[in-house]
Amino acid sequence: MINIKTDSRKVKPGDVFVALRGIVGDGHDFIPKAIENGASKIIAEEGEYSVPYEIVSDSRAYLNNYLKQNYNKYLEEMHLIGITGTNGKSTAAYLIYDALNKLDKRCCYIGTIGYFREEKIFDMPNTTPEVTEIYDMLISAYDAGYRYAVIEASSEGLLHRRLENVPFEYAIFTNLTQDHLNIHGTMANYAMCKQKLFNQIRPGGKAIINYDDPNKSIFSLSYNDNITYGFTGGDYHVSDYQMSIMGTSFTFISDGVKQNIKAPLIGKYNIYNILVTIITLYELGFTYSEIYDVLLHVNSPAGRMDMVEYKNNRIIIDYAHTPDAILNVISTVKEVCDGHIYTVFGCTGDRDRTKRPIMTKIVTDLSDKAIITCDDVHNEDPNQIVDDMLKDLPNSNYEVELDRKKAIRKGIDMLNTNDVLLVLGKGHEEVMIVKNNERIPFNDKKTVLEYLESNKVIRIEKIDD
């Protein structure tokens, strides 16, 4: 465990507290609290304090250099895999984590759905937490005998230098589509922020890049050892695939040799995630035979195409919350659904407003009916969010029900035979964030199961948690 902290609430007697300046707060304001909690030393950019202190020009640079000098000798003994991209990070990261553990390699996971070792240790407020927390989790895993780690690298985490100096052996790029423009302003800024991950691959490491993404050149840096994958080309080139509601099989070509793969995930977009897993495992020294066997048994993370069977219908819970992710999920379901498709979804408050009408048009174009509801509204008026969603919408196959629980129940009641209900946007999340960032317990899958139970219906639940 490391003894340097950036959150005054987590300071324990003897810890060093580093005051960081952020977008929405300044760590210098919390120095008194850190001292009260027992900080033995303060690192700051200004001021005088009642305990030993050091004034530096850039406290972020001081922190990152301190961590590098004191802990990278341990991290360099680990296989560190970083994954960035708009969509697919969590699924690809979790598949690698799950496959490695099933191959008897102790691997931890740090990302959107939490911190995992053999099981979930705890949830996290951000996809990419503060750098001291990342080092703390990695060093704890190292001390417990783990030598593999998969880390989701969000654009915000990269922007705020939370992964600076982490010695990644592999950097993976999934794709780039519209998201987080409220933070980055433009897609160009968004892309360049994600590129940061590919500037910190350690000697002997590899970059693994989606050949089909139009932004691939931004990540295919000349000084890296690049491996590409995709449907239109790449070092790992998919030649054909077949899909059913229960899984996918496909063929890819690498070094002129065809390989056949099966996995219990559906969707063309999930073939990308499986390919990323295959490449990473192969580069780590596993044979295609070992990889084939383990992929038959991997699990997708909670809240990613998470299926509940209800009579002759299926209810699917998925985290999709961007235009591209929603398009992928509904398009996939249309390929395997014989009945109607109903979709419950909302848009997050205090986030990129421009994607709201785009998402609504995709949902109403591809679904038989949409039920528009609340997602995490934060401090925004939910009615304003809905107004944005419905702006210039040419379709009328929707209704509005702001109570998410009621919306989900309405969706279930619409199901008849061979239909699919999609509940999109929150996936694995356990809370609903409302005004003043109040967190109210709420989980989409639990809401589904409780309603089915209350109506005494028989269900067969996919076992993948």
Side-chain angles (χ1 to χ4, degrees), residues 434-452:
V434 296
K435 192 172 182 179
N436 298 320
N437 286 322
E438 181 185 355
R439 294 170 178 261
I440 299 171
F442 192 92
N443 176 269
D444 284 345
K445 187 172 182 178
K446 289 177 183 176
T447 300
V448 166
L449 296 179
E450 285 169 1
Y451 188 55
L452 298 186

Side-chain angles (χ1 to χ4, degrees), residues 84-98:
T84 197
T86 307
N87 300 310
K89 291 190 301 298
S90 296
T91 299
Y94 193 87
L95 289 177
I96 294 170
Y97 154 83
D98 191 45

